[in-house]
Amino acid sequence: MILALDIGGSAIKAAWADEPDAITPMGRIETPRTDFAAFVETLRGILAAMPSRPEAVSISICGVTDIETGRMICANVPCIDGRLLDAELQAALGLPVTVANDADCFALAEAGLGAGLGHDVVFGIILGTGVGGGLVVDNRLANRRGGYAGEWGHATILATSAGTPPVEIPHFPCGCGRAGCVDTVGGARGVEKLHMHLSGEARDSREIVVGWAGGDPAATRTMEIYVDLIAAPLALAVNITGASIVPVGGGMAGAPGLIPALDKAVRSRILRQLDRPLVVPAQCALEPGLVGAALLGLDRFAYA
């Protein structure tokens, strides 16, 4: 049995798993963000609530493990930032612990139980508040020790002209310290920023995508340029990784018509010729962070 945890800045979701198709959610609890001792006690409380003591703890988290130092980089949960989290939790809980990025766990969930089932290379992407991604090869994470594989949202590669007719697009500054990253326009806040630049209107991303679905000219122009901007770097990622399926999660994935439009634009830009969808909606019904953490833990501990 594996204890799977999905740890975000606001809540910790928990589940226990005996098999990939036997994952039982246990509910959620508020994340202690600034007190590491309280963070550990919260995990001990979850362990105590399990039907029996697990073999290991597997964690999906809103952060990245530095592959050279092993330390966490996690702004949303300050009490774990900079820590050797897996080693410290292993000592505190008395169980083996593995930790992976939440976008990586999303990709792992889609590869194992979702849209990527049966595919050798799965590139799972998140279009939410921002942009993220994870790469799974033969049902295992490409970056098993941590690192940034799959993070297509951060590189200065956006075009500065897009749409038909073309319009100039500035390289907006990114939270990572660079400018022109996919993340600056690819997520919900990016759509709002792009719409403001193009139309001068301050509109919520949901209003923009609804307007697009309803034929609103300004919203339609924004979303056409949005698809043009992010399709090129996504196609590049597909060419580099050889992914045969790209499941999409996050709030933007639910925008009517977005995934088919993005799929068409990406397939027109890649080397491989496909007569089936490549960019598809995520299909994993259960929380993908929990599922990915469970699959990771089962692979590393239960079946090792």
Side-chain angles (χ1 to χ4, degrees):
M1 180 188 294
I2 300 295
L3 171 60
L5 300 171
D6 182 9
I7 301 177
S10 59
I12 299 173
K13 302 167 191 173
W16 54 271
D18 289 312
E19 299 287 343
D21 58 354
I23 301 170
T24 305
M26 298 173 62
R28 55 190 289 158
I29 190 169
E30 184 178 353
T31 304
R33 298 179 63 250
T34 59
D35 184 337
F36 188 67
F39 181 86
V40 171
E41 283 305 310
T42 297
L43 301 194
R44 285 183 177 140
I46 295 171
L47 276 170
M50 293 188 67
S52 61
R53 189 162 176 82
E55 297 172 57
V57 179
S58 186
I59 298 173
S60 165
I61 201 159
C62 56
V64 176
T65 301
D66 186 301
I67 199 168
E68 294 190 8
T69 67
R71 296 187 181 276
M72 283 300 305
I73 302 168
C74 185
N76 290 338
V77 188
C79 71
I80 65 173
D81 187 51
R83 291 184 179 271
L84 297 168
L85 187 62
D86 51 357
E88 292 186 48
L89 289 181
Q90 183 165 317
L93 302 176
L95 288 169
V97 174
T98 189
V99 179
N101 171 260
D102 52 3
D104 289 341
C105 286
F106 162 76
L108 199 56
E110 284 299 311
L113 295 173
L117 192 64
H119 290 264
D120 293 337
V121 183
V122 178
F123 183 43
I125 67 169
I126 303 292
L127 298 177
T129 302
V131 174
L135 182 63
V136 176
V137 180
D138 294 333
N139 286 314
R140 292 190 169 185
L141 291 175
N143 50 343
R144 286 172 58 80
R145 294 191 298 117
Y148 294 93
E151 286 292 348
W152 70 295
H154 294 283
T156 307
I157 56 175
L158 277 185
T160 54
S161 177
T164 304
V167 63
E168 296 300 309
I169 306 294
H171 270 183
F172 298 111
C174 184
C176 73
R178 298 171 182 82
C181 295
V182 177
D183 193 76
T184 63
V185 300
R189 302 293 82 79
V191 169
E192 294 163 0
K193 188 187 310 175
L194 183 62
H195 188 75
M196 171 63 80
H197 171 74
L198 294 169
S199 68
E201 297 177 337
R203 295 175 72 179
D204 181 89
S205 61
R206 289 165 291 187
E207 294 179 49
I208 296 167
V209 297
V210 168
W212 178 37
D216 176 80
T220 297
R221 177 71 165 152
T222 294
M223 293 306 296
E224 287 176 348
I225 290 172
Y226 168 88
V227 169
D228 196 18
L229 283 170
I230 71 169
L234 183 52
L236 177 62
V238 169
N239 278 341
I240 290 172
T241 62
S244 59
I245 198 77
V246 182
V248 186
M252 287 294 295
L258 176 57
I259 291 181
L262 188 56
D263 174 61
K264 181 180 179 181
V266 170
R267 283 196 284 145
S268 72
R269 289 166 166 85
I270 60 173
L271 288 171
R272 185 179 181 186
Q273 299 301 305
L274 290 172
D275 58 4
R276 61 162 176 84
L278 169 69
V279 182
V280 299
Q283 292 180 6
C284 191
L286 193 59
E287 291 279 357
L290 281 179
V291 172
L295 295 178
L296 180 68
L298 289 168
D299 178 62
R300 293 192 179 179
F301 300 115
Y303 304 137

